[in-house]
Amino acid sequence: MTLSARTRLSGTIEYLEIGENTAEVELELEDGQTVTSVITANSAERLDLSEGDAVDAVVKATDVMVDG
């Protein structure tokens, strides 16, 4: 599948918690940084996600806010 998003971060799922409606997925990237995403529980189950899986985080943002 081709996506329009250009930012892809490869990592390993270090933490996964699937709730009733949402799932929290924490990835450890190759350089040791972490990225946390909240997706639907349905998507996590459909993708058959598990801790230890190698996955890509695909980022597409229309807005970025910075507060200082």
Side-chain angles (χ1 to χ4, degrees):
M1 172 175 37
T2 303
L3 300 175
S4 63
R6 295 184 180 185
T7 304
R8 247 179 219 276
L9 305 171
S10 296
T12 302
I13 297 176
E14 292 297 313
Y15 173 78
L16 174 65
E17 182 177 343
I18 301 176
E20 185 175 334
N21 297 308
T22 61
E24 183 176 343
V25 185
E26 184 176 297
L27 305 180
E28 182 174 334
L29 306 180
E30 295 171 358
D31 63 2
Q33 295 184 73
T34 60
V35 172
T36 302
S37 178
V38 175
I39 63 175
T40 64
N42 186 38
S43 291
E45 291 165 358
R46 182 177 49 81
L47 292 168
D48 195 28
L49 297 179
S50 298
E51 290 182 4
D53 286 352
V55 296
D56 289 337
V58 181
V59 180
K60 178 147 182 133
T62 57
D63 295 299
V64 176
M65 292 186 262
V66 177
D67 184 21

